[in-house]
């Protein structure tokens, strides 16, 4: 039972880390217009800053949260 | 046994100059001249040099009184304790990372300039794959750092001084120097452009403080550290001023070659293709030297903060064969690679100076605090005109930090946003250490569940056609799936403490069962 929960922690932790990295990557893509996202989605300059700040802030929070869960699994090995 | 002799004044001055004379002059004059102040950068260089000299006076007093490992981190920690010391250390560390990334990006620019003479096809390929090359350069230097290779140090500094002297003399005696350029459009953007340029070129000077790292091995540090700091801060002003004068006299502000480094372009005008090649190679050497130094500095700061328990202990790990802090070097190199991929020079410049200016402001405040709290401390050098000098040093540091934002420079605003984000991370990591991991984990769990629930609700309403999407560039179904991950992970983070207690309880139960078994065995 405990092993199952620990494995679930690892799974959701890793999923959250991947999600956070994707969120940060999207924020950077938007900011530096690497894949021309700004034109593709017709994002105005004001909305761009709002999206970038929001995505970066949540990306970092999710990344730390996910890493904590992975660390929990690491500790319990 | 013969006592090892410390380094003398000459070596100390060379250490200061090696910190200041670097790749910055190859990259910073460009934007400041063509976009901000025109020939007014000469005035900007004088203002920047004088401000640097003022700040170095505070460094003189503290460096002479505390010739210890850690430089400014030690001064600030002595004055304000661990919390402010930790913040200063973090900013210094981040400034080194940004400076190293800037050096990597500038290296690629110089490489492209070199190949513009040799083979334009290869130049186009270099510019096309700049980010891959910058990763390769950082990786190579990272390996060098791990292997503990020796730096060229004073040889490079003397070579640069000779090269720059040749540039200045060549510029004046060649027919290309046109004094009209100096007065053609003195301040195209007015006083605003002048101050913006002062901030932008300021990193050219801040390297002089690097010599405080030599304080521990200096002969008579009480005398030689202040002399070395002041001499190198004074020498650098006329050197840069003359170089900028020649470059401006040679290249008109309306010149079309704005994408090329001003210095390289001027060298090409004065000495022809040989000038372009020699200055491109010099620029590359300067970048590699700066990148190596920044890697060592970040590694040493990370090690110091790890020793004080602020960073993970693993950063102190020493390589069994090379005796270097290889984990700190690998972590630093990885972060520098990420930053160098951005390739945005003005952003990296502002971000690097952002960290350094905060540390400068704190050093000036530390001097004032220590004068009050430790009046009997042995001070071989006392800052003249106290308290005016450190107050002005503090005010100018903060002004240089804020002015680009006031002028609305987009790059500076981006750097400020990143700086504030990094500050938030720095403060969070400090409280993480102070408040304890589980409390932070529980808080993050709550944030995860709350955010997940809001995203799920809005995505669901959007699917039903009842609300506008908050992130139109991400499908609502993807947002729904992501919110599920956030809620589940949030739940596990929220129960982190309970899980830990349960695990401890299980271990205690197990121990109790074994003890009971053993007791029964012996009783029988």
């Amino acid at each position: 039972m405990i092993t199952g929960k620990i494995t679930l922690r690892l799974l959701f932790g890793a999923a959250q880390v991947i999600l956070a990295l994707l969120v940060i990557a999207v924020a950077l893509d938007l900011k530096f217009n690497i894949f021309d996202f700004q034109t593709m989605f017709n994002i105005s300059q004001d909305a761009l800053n709002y999206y970038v700040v929001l995505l970066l802030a949540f990306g970092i929070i999710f990344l730390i949260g996910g890493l904590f869960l992975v660390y929990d699994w690491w500790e319990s090995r | 046994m013969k006592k090892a002799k410390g380094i003398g004044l000459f070596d100390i001055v060379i250490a200061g100059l090696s910190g200041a004379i670097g790749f910055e002059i190859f990259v910073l004059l460009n934007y400041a001249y063509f976009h901000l102040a025109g020939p007014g950068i000469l005035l900007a260089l004088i203002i920047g040099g004088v401000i640097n000299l003022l700040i170095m006076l505070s460094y003189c007093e503290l460096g002479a009184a505390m010739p210890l490992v850690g430089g400014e981190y030690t001064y600030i920690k002595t004055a304000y304790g661990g919390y402010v010391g930790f913040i200063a250390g973090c900013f210094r560390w981040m400034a080194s990372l940004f400076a190293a990334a800037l050096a990597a990006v500038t290296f690629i620019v110089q490489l492209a300039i070199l190949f513009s003479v040799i083979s334009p096809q290869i130049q186009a390929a270099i510019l096309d794959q700049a980010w891959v090359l910058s990763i390769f350069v950082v990786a190579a230097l990272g390996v060098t750092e791990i292997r503990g290779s020796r730096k060229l140090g004073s040889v490079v500094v003397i070579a640069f001084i000779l090269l720059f002297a040749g540039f200045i003399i060549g510029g004046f005696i060649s027919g290309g120097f046109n004094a009209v350029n100096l007065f053609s459009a003195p301040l195209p953007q007015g006083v605003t452009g002048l101050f913006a340029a002062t901030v932008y070129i300021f990193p050219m000077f801040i390297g002089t403080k690097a010599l405080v790292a030599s304080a521990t091995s200096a002969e008579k540090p009480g005398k030689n550290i202040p002399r070395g700091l002041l001499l190198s801060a004074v020498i650098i002003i006329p050197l840069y001023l003359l170089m900028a004068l020649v470059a401006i006299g040679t290249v008109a502000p309306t010149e079309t070659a704005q994408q090329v480094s001003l210095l390289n372009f001027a060298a090409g005008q004065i000495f022809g293709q040989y000038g372009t090649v020699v200055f491109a190679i010099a620029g590359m050497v300067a970048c590699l030297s700066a990148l190596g130094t920044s890697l060592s500095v970040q590694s040493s700061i990370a090690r110091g903060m790890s020793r004080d328990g602020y960073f993970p202990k693993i950063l102190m790990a020493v390589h069994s064969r090379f005796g270097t802090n290889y984990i700190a070097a690998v972590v630093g190199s990885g972060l520098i690679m990420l930053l160098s991929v951005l390739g945005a020079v003005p952003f990296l410049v502002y971000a690097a100076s952002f960290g350094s200016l905060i540390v400068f402001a704190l050093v000036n405040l530390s001097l004032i605090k220590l004068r009050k709290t430790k009046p009997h401390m042995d001070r071989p050098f006392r800052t003249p005109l106290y308290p005016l000098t450190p107050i002005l040093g503090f005010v100018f540091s903060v002004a240089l930090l804020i002015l680009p934002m006031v002028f609305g420079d987009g790059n500076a605003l981006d750097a400020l946003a990143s700086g504030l984000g990094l500050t938030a991370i720095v403060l969070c990591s400090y409280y993480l250490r102070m408040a304890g991991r589980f409390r932070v984990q529980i808080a993050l769990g709550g944030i995860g569940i709350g955010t997940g629930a809001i995203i799920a609700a809005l995505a669901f309403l959007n699917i039903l056609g009842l609300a506008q999407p908050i992130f139109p560039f991400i499908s609502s179904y993807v947002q729904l799936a992501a919110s599920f991950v956030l809620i589940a992970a949030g739940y596990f983070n929220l129960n982190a403490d309970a899980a830990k207690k349960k695990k401890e309880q299980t271990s205690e139960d197990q121990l109790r069962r074994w003890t009971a078994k053993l007791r029964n065995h012996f009783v029988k």
Side-chain angles (χ1 to χ4, degrees):
Chain A
M1 184 67 181
I2 289 174
T3 322
K5 272 194 173 179
I6 289 293
T7 314
L8 274 179
R9 272 172 185 275
L10 170 68
L11 281 178
F12 281 109
Q16 184 158 312
V17 167
I18 293 166
L19 188 68
L21 291 175
L22 284 173
V23 167
I24 293 169
V26 169
L28 293 176
D29 276 356
L30 280 176
K31 180 67 200 167
F32 296 105
N33 205 16
I34 299 169
F35 297 115
D36 208 19
F37 272 12
Q38 291 175 15
T39 329
M40 206 186 290
F41 297 108
N42 197 19
I43 299 167
S44 69
Q45 205 58 38
D46 291 339
L48 178 78
N49 290 335
Y50 153 77
Y51 283 134
V52 171
V53 171
L54 208 66
L55 289 172
L56 274 181
F58 280 108
I60 290 166
I61 290 172
F62 297 155
L63 183 67
I64 299 169
L67 286 174
F68 269 136
L69 291 181
V70 176
Y71 187 70
D72 277 348
W73 167 80
W74 179 267
E75 254 189 339
S76 64
R77 281 188 319 152
Chain B
M1 198 170 75
K2 198 179 171 185
K3 197 184 166 189
K5 206 181 168 192
I7 59 170
L9 182 62
F10 177 76
D11 289 318
I12 291 175
V13 174
I14 289 291
L17 290 176
S18 77
I21 297 176
F23 74 100
E24 288 91 346
I25 193 161
F26 290 89
V27 67
L28 299 184
L29 290 179
N30 216 31
Y31 186 69
Y33 180 54
F34 290 120
H35 299 278
L36 298 174
I41 60 165
L42 293 175
L43 198 54
L45 281 167
I46 295 172
I47 298 172
V50 171
I51 293 175
N52 181 54
L53 195 59
L54 203 66
I55 295 167
M56 284 310 119
L57 284 170
S58 296
Y59 267 83
C60 285
E61 178 169 327
L62 296 171
M66 287 179 272
L68 304 167
V69 176
E72 51 269 81
Y73 169 59
T74 311
Y75 315 149
I76 296 167
K77 199 178 164 194
T78 312
Y80 290 99
Y83 181 54
V84 184
F86 166 77
I87 291 173
C90 278
F91 278 116
R92 184 78 190 81
W93 182 62
M94 288 188 293
S96 306
L97 294 180
F98 279 113
L102 181 62
V105 172
T106 311
F107 177 84
I108 305 301
V109 173
Q110 294 295 325
L111 190 67
I113 292 172
L114 178 69
F115 276 97
S116 69
V117 177
I118 300 167
S119 162
Q121 283 87 1
I122 297 177
Q123 184 203 19
I126 290 169
L127 291 173
D128 202 35
Q129 300 297 327
W131 66 278
V132 181
L133 287 169
S134 62
I135 286 180
F136 177 75
V137 171
V138 178
L141 265 287
V143 171
T144 318
E145 172 67 18
I146 291 169
R147 291 176 69 90
S149 303
R150 290 174 71 85
K151 307 274 178 316
L152 292 172
S154 55
V155 179
V156 172
V157 177
I158 292 166
F160 269 107
I161 291 174
L162 291 175
L163 183 72
F164 290 169
F167 175 79
I168 293 164
I169 296 165
F172 281 125
I173 59 173
S174 76
F177 187 84
N178 187 359
V180 177
N181 289 349
L182 306 177
F183 310 101
S184 55
L187 290 172
Q189 289 191 36
V191 183
T192 309
L194 173 68
F195 283 120
T198 307
V199 178
Y200 195 78
I201 52 95
F202 192 66
M204 284 166 64
F205 296 99
I206 57 183
T208 40
K209 69 185 165 52
L211 76 82
V212 292
S214 324
T216 45
S217 51
E219 248 178 39
K220 298 179 196 162
K223 254 186 186 179
N224 285 338
I225 293 293
R227 281 180 184 175
L229 273 168
L230 294 179
L231 270 173
S232 46
V234 168
I235 290 170
I236 211 77
I237 300 175
L239 183 68
Y240 280 162
L241 206 58
L242 285 170
M243 288 197 65
L245 186 72
V246 169
I248 293 168
T250 313
V251 184
T254 48
E255 197 69 61
T256 47
Q258 294 190 12
Q259 296 304 316
V260 185
S261 159
L262 173 65
L263 208 60
N264 294 78
F265 193 69
Q269 300 281 82
I270 296 167
F271 302 108
Q273 283 195 342
Y274 292 112
T276 310
V277 170
V278 169
F279 267 73
I281 293 170
M284 284 157 64
V285 172
C287 291
L288 289 181
S289 167
L291 186 52
T293 309
S294 294
L295 264 169
S296 300
V297 169
Q298 73 79 26
S299 187
S300 130
I301 297 169
R303 193 181 63 217
M305 295 190 67
S306 167
R307 177 201 62 206
D308 291 350
Y310 295 128
F311 279 2
K313 292 282 176 212
I314 196 168
L315 292 175
M316 286 175 77
V318 175
H319 196 281
S320 55
R321 190 168 153 206
F322 303 117
T324 50
N325 293 95
Y326 69 110
I327 300 279
V330 168
V331 171
S333 304
L335 291 170
I336 294 164
M337 280 178 198
L338 278 177
L339 292 171
S340 63
V341 168
L342 296 177
V345 171
F347 168 78
L348 290 171
V349 173
Y350 280 125
S353 52
F354 184 88
S356 296
L357 287 167
I358 286 181
V359 174
F360 280 170
L362 288 171
V363 165
N364 282 292
L365 288 179
S366 299
L367 187 141
I368 298 171
K369 176 98 190 269
L370 286 171
R371 282 273 186 121
K372 280 184 183 167
T373 54
K374 296 189 178 178
H376 304 298
M377 188 180 184
D378 181 29
R379 291 180 172 84
F381 178 91
R382 293 179 86 86
T383 303
L385 302 175
Y386 177 87
L388 189 66
T389 317
I391 288 173
L392 281 177
F394 172 77
V395 169
F396 283 130
S397 303
V398 175
L400 289 176
L401 201 67
I402 294 170
L403 278 175
M405 270 73 86
V406 176
F407 300 147
D409 189 325
N411 288 306
L413 288 171
D414 286 348
L416 175 73
S418 315
L420 290 177
L422 292 171
T423 311
I425 296 172
V426 166
L427 294 178
C428 283
S429 52
Y430 186 81
Y431 282 108
L432 178 69
R433 185 176 167 273
M434 291 292 123
R437 186 185 116 201
F438 289 106
R439 284 186 194 172
V440 178
Q441 203 169 345
I442 289 165
L444 287 177
I447 294 172
I449 289 177
T451 317
I454 292 170
I455 293 174
L458 288 172
F460 191 64
L461 287 174
N462 180 241
I463 291 167
L464 294 177
L466 298 171
Q468 290 290 318
I470 39 167
F471 297 113
F473 42 89
I474 303 172
S475 153
S476 296
Y477 291 101
V478 175
Q479 289 183 37
L480 213 55
S483 63
F484 171 69
V485 173
L486 293 180
I487 293 170
Y491 166 78
F492 283 119
N493 269 327
L494 210 56
N495 289 298
D497 200 22
K500 188 198 167 207
K501 278 180 185 159
K502 199 168 182 180
K503 195 182 155 198
E504 281 171 359
Q505 187 67 40
T506 317
S507 310
E508 276 173 25
D509 288 347
Q510 208 165 18
L511 193 68
R512 211 173 292 130
R513 275 202 300 276
W514 284 344
T515 321
K517 261 188 189 176
L518 271 173
R519 199 187 301 125
N520 288 342
H521 177 76
F522 284 113
V523 168
K524 275 178 190 173

